[in-house]
């Protein structure tokens, strides 16, 4: 038995079932079926209309050769797809290995080694952190007493290369915030309201395909946080930890599914973003 929304038909013996099947998967068939569809809410086609769809029929022996060639070509394509999947998996592992080596100080010669060979001094990671914290303390204009950002617990962490230092996200950023959790209404032709589903590829953001909101909702949401070039967006729901750097000056807002940390100068947002991707 089969449901009423399915149509069953049985080819005559002069037509190979597989030849008929492959035709029904071809662009020509879908063009024909598209012209025969009716309905608005749920497009449909009935048996009467389907019976009038023109089908190109080759001689029986040629049908057999066509089917054999289709299956040979498809087998090659399936193998190519499998090879591409393996290549993609290998590339993903290689990228992960590159990022791992980078954040462990093994990708390039360390600044300490380079400076020693060139006979010069360097600003170490600890000195850079101190400079960041001093600048942050000096420029702070918030309410109440300034609170020093918490340092990370490094008890069980591996030893870093010479000149490196462990820091917390709190120490590196001037702001970690998300927008109000009230969902704004869609507004055609408005301002992009980006969520994690608009993360495409490995580093892109689909602003055109994102939901758009009204200018007034945008301004209200920006009272708490306004994403700007150089910010980093971290997903906090769904695929937790996905990261994108903001590389546009166009106005947009990030949904509450992510938190945009704003880092302290002189860190590079893209470099920090790569660390988050490892």
């Amino acid at each position: 038995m089969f449901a009423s929304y399915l149509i069953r038909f049985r080819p005559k013996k002069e037509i190979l079932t597989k030849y008929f099947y492959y035709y029904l998967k071809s662009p020509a068939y879908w063009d024909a079926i598209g012209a025969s569809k009716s309905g608005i809410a749920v497009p449909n086609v009935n048996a009467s209309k389907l019976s009038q769809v023109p089908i190109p029929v080759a001689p029986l022996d040629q049908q057999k050769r066509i089917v054999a060639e289709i299956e040979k070509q498809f087998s090659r394509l399936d193998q190519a797809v499998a090879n591409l999947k393996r290549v993609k998996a290998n590339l993903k592992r290689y990228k992960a290995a590159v990022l791992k080596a980078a954040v462990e100080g093994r990708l390039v010669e360390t600044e300490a080694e380079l400076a020693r060979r060139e006979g010069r001094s360097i600003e170490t990671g600890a000195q850079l952190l101190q400079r960041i914290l001093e600048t942050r303390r000096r420029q702070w204009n918030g309410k109440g007493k300034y609170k020093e950002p918490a340092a990370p617990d490094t008890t069980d962490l591996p030893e870093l290369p010479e000149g490196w230092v462990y820091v917390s996200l709190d120490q590196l950023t001037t702001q970690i915030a998300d927008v109000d959790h009230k969902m704004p209404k869609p507004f055609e032709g408005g301002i992009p309201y980006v969520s994690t589903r608009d993360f495409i590829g490995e580093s892109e953001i689909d602003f055109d395909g994102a939901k758009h909101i009204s200018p007034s909702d945008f301004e209200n949401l920006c009272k708490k946080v306004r994403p700007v070039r150089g910010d980093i967006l971290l997903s906090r729901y769904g695929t937790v930890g996905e990261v994108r750097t903001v590389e546009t000056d166009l106005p947009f807002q990030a949904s509450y599914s992510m938190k945009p940390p704003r880092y302290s100068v002189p860190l590079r947002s893209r470099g920090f973003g790569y660390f988050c991707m490892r």
Side-chain angles (χ1 to χ4, degrees):
M1 298 298 293
F2 52 92
S4 60
Y5 51 78
L6 297 175
I7 298 175
R8 189 204 72 169
F9 48 88
R10 182 175 296 158
K12 293 184 177 181
K13 63 181 181 180
E14 292 82 7
I15 303 293
L16 289 182
T17 298
K18 279 196 171 182
Y19 175 84
F20 199 29
Y21 167 77
Y22 285 128
Y23 169 73
L24 296 178
K25 295 177 73 70
S26 72
Y29 164 75
W30 284 105
D31 288 343
I33 205 71
S36 301
K37 286 191 298 187
S38 61
I40 298 175
V42 181
N44 64 86
V45 64
N46 57 40
S48 177
K49 290 182 178 180
L50 190 62
S51 68
Q52 300 303 312
V53 171
I55 300 172
V57 175
L60 187 57
D61 286 343
Q62 189 172 357
Q63 291 178 38
K64 295 176 182 178
R65 295 199 307 274
I66 289 172
V67 168
E69 185 63 24
I70 287 174
E71 294 183 341
K72 182 174 75 173
Q73 297 283 356
F74 278 12
S75 178
R76 291 175 179 172
L77 290 172
D78 289 342
Q79 185 60 49
V81 169
N83 291 338
L84 286 173
K85 287 181 178 178
R86 283 194 292 272
V87 169
K88 187 176 181 180
N90 289 337
L91 284 174
K92 187 174 182 179
R93 285 193 291 270
Y94 176 70
K95 286 182 177 180
V98 169
L99 292 173
K100 185 175 187 295
V103 300
E104 292 176 354
R106 297 182 289 105
L107 187 63
V108 297
E109 188 175 14
T110 67
E111 191 66 13
E113 293 168 339
L114 191 60
R116 215 169 10 249
R117 192 172 68 249
E118 296 175 351
R120 59 178 174 82
S121 61
I122 66 167
E123 180 184 48
T124 66
Q127 291 168 335
L128 172 61
L129 174 61
Q130 187 60 36
R131 181 157 63 91
I132 289 172
L133 295 178
E134 288 175 356
T135 301
R136 175 174 171 167
R137 194 180 303 114
R138 186 171 58 252
Q139 295 178 347
W140 187 76
N141 58 0
K143 297 180 180 179
K145 186 178 180 181
Y146 176 76
K147 184 179 179 181
E148 291 288 347
D153 180 4
T154 61
T155 305
D156 298 319
L157 295 179
E159 184 178 352
L160 288 172
E162 181 184 358
W164 288 41
V165 65
Y166 281 113
V167 300
S168 67
L169 191 61
D170 193 21
Q171 290 175 312
L172 289 185
T173 57
T174 58
Q175 183 185 47
I176 304 176
D178 58 357
V179 298
D180 290 335
H181 289 204
K182 182 180 179 181
M183 179 67 72
K185 295 180 180 179
F187 185 87
E188 187 175 354
I191 297 168
Y193 182 73
V194 173
S195 69
T196 51
R197 67 184 177 187
D198 302 310
F199 286 1
I200 56 176
E202 294 190 358
S203 60
E204 302 299 317
I205 301 174
D206 182 12
F207 293 101
D208 292 333
K211 173 182 175 179
H212 285 61
I213 61 175
S214 69
S216 60
D217 280 340
F218 170 73
E219 291 300 332
N220 284 332
L221 291 171
C222 286
K223 291 177 182 178
K224 184 176 181 182
V225 59
R226 180 193 294 260
V228 297
R229 181 185 290 273
D231 282 356
I232 296 173
L233 304 178
L234 292 170
S235 63
R236 57 199 296 263
Y237 293 129
T239 307
V240 176
E242 279 290 312
V243 61
R244 294 293 186 275
T245 58
V246 178
E247 299 183 7
T248 180
D249 294 315
L250 295 175
F252 78 96
Q253 187 51 268
S255 80
Y256 58 80
S257 64
M258 59 186 79
K259 282 182 177 286
R262 184 160 297 160
Y263 64 95
S264 301
V265 176
L267 294 175
R268 292 183 179 272
S269 61
R270 181 172 290 185
F272 183 65
Y274 283 142
F275 166 76
C276 296
M277 291 170 62
R278 77 184 181 95

